Amino acid sequence: MRKWWAIGIVIIVFSIAALAFFLFPRTAADSVTMDEAAQTIEQLYGGAIENATETEGFYQIEFKRDDGTYLAAINRADGQVESLELLEKTGSAKALTEEQAIEAATAEEPGETKEIQYIESDNRYEVEIHSDTERKILFISAETGEVMDVQTEALEPPAEPEPDTAQPEPERIISQNAAIAIAKETLDGTVDEVEFVQTTDGGYYLVEMDDNASDREATIQIHAIRGETMTVEWDD
């Protein structure tokens, strides 16, 4: 009697499972619903869901956070985030100019301003100021002008100058004008800049020119002793 009772329970369980399968089918290729995919994005990244669409094998979930709008691709089979793309970056506006940031920094820490740079990701300025004994970097909010942080380190005293033991420069056989003339024989163009580089064998000139034929820029290397064209390098 107990055996037939147990068999009856098994049959009922399988019947309920089969009925649930036919009433609520979910294929292996689509085992995650769009609502579940959206919930996954909200749990992982926060923000508000803006749009959700279906593509072959994926849900495309567009969501917005304080720092920007993103598009995530969710695998419909296993619910994994396959890709995440930043569509539009948003953030606080840069209200301060560099001059205003320097004024805010020097009002806090007087000294000589050596460098300033804007950090877009944090919407702030980093201002480097030197005194006689210290180097300080001040972090200035580009939105409010507030001094957010100051980093300080001691400056080493200037080293004593070493005696000049450098070898005298080798005599240049050709002048800068001569180097330009040689470069123009190599390339028909307009000279933008000429630089001399000292080496142990007499040095060389670097002549930057705009090629008239191709409208590209090239750098021609002219040996300062031999007066010959050593290399021609084209800018991409």
Side-chain angles (χ1 to χ4, degrees), residues 21 26 37 68-69 79-80 95 108 144 147 153 165 170 174 224 233-234:
F21 177 81
R26 179 177 287 188
T69 302
Q80 296 295 314
E108 180 77 14
T144 64
V147 179
E153 66 179 37
T165 58
I174 66 172
E233 294 185 0
W234 295 90

Side-chain angles (χ1 to χ4, degrees), residues 64-212:
K64 189 172 185 178
R65 306 194 324 170
D66 291 340
D67 59 345
T69 302
Y70 296 82
L71 180 65
I74 309 297
N75 192 308
R76 292 167 61 173
D78 56 16
Q80 296 295 314
V81 179
E82 298 292 340
S83 66
L84 183 65
E85 178 185 359
L86 175 61
L87 299 179
E88 181 180 2
K89 180 177 177 59
T90 58
S92 302
K94 182 174 70 171
L96 264 67
T97 64
E98 287 191 357
E99 291 76 12
Q100 291 171 325
I102 291 174
E103 289 178 3
T106 53
E108 180 77 14
E109 296 288 346
E112 180 184 359
T113 302
K114 290 292 186 179
E115 184 179 354
I116 180 171
Q117 58 178 332
Y118 174 65
I119 310 300
E120 183 178 3
S121 58
D122 297 327
N123 194 33
R124 75 184 186 199
Y125 287 101
E126 293 184 2
V127 185
E128 181 177 337
I129 293 179
H130 287 199
S131 65
D132 292 338
T133 58
E134 292 179 326
R135 169 182 178 267
K136 297 184 178 182
I137 297 180
L138 289 83
F139 300 89
I140 311 294
S141 169
E143 184 178 7
T144 64
E146 175 190 359
V147 179
M148 304 163 60
D149 191 17
V150 180
Q151 294 181 358
T152 303
E153 66 179 37
L155 287 173
E156 295 183 1
E160 292 293 331
E162 297 182 358
D164 186 9
T165 58
Q167 298 295 324
E169 294 185 5
E171 181 182 359
R172 304 179 198 175
I173 300 301
I174 66 172
S175 65
Q176 177 173 303
N177 289 336
I180 292 174
I182 295 171
K184 286 187 174 182
E185 292 177 0
T186 305
L187 187 69
D188 181 20
T190 304
V191 176
D192 289 335
E193 185 178 351
V194 181
E195 178 185 358
F196 176 75
V197 179
Q198 181 65 58
T199 63
T200 56
D201 66 343
Y204 55 84
Y205 290 96
L206 294 176
V207 184
E208 293 184 6
M209 299 182 65
D210 292 325
D211 180 35
N212 293 335

Side-chain angles (χ1 to χ4, degrees), residues 3-51:
K3 177 180 179 181
W4 288 108
W5 180 75
I7 293 174
I9 291 176
V10 171
I11 292 173
I12 292 172
V13 171
F14 274 104
S15 298
I16 293 173
L19 181 61
F21 177 81
F22 286 109
L23 290 177
F24 308 102
R26 179 177 287 188
T27 65
D30 200 10
S31 61
V32 177
T33 67
M34 183 177 290
D35 287 342
E36 290 171 338
Q39 290 174 8
T40 297
I41 292 301
E42 289 176 335
Q43 292 171 0
L44 289 176
Y45 305 107
I49 304 299
E50 296 281 309
N51 189 29

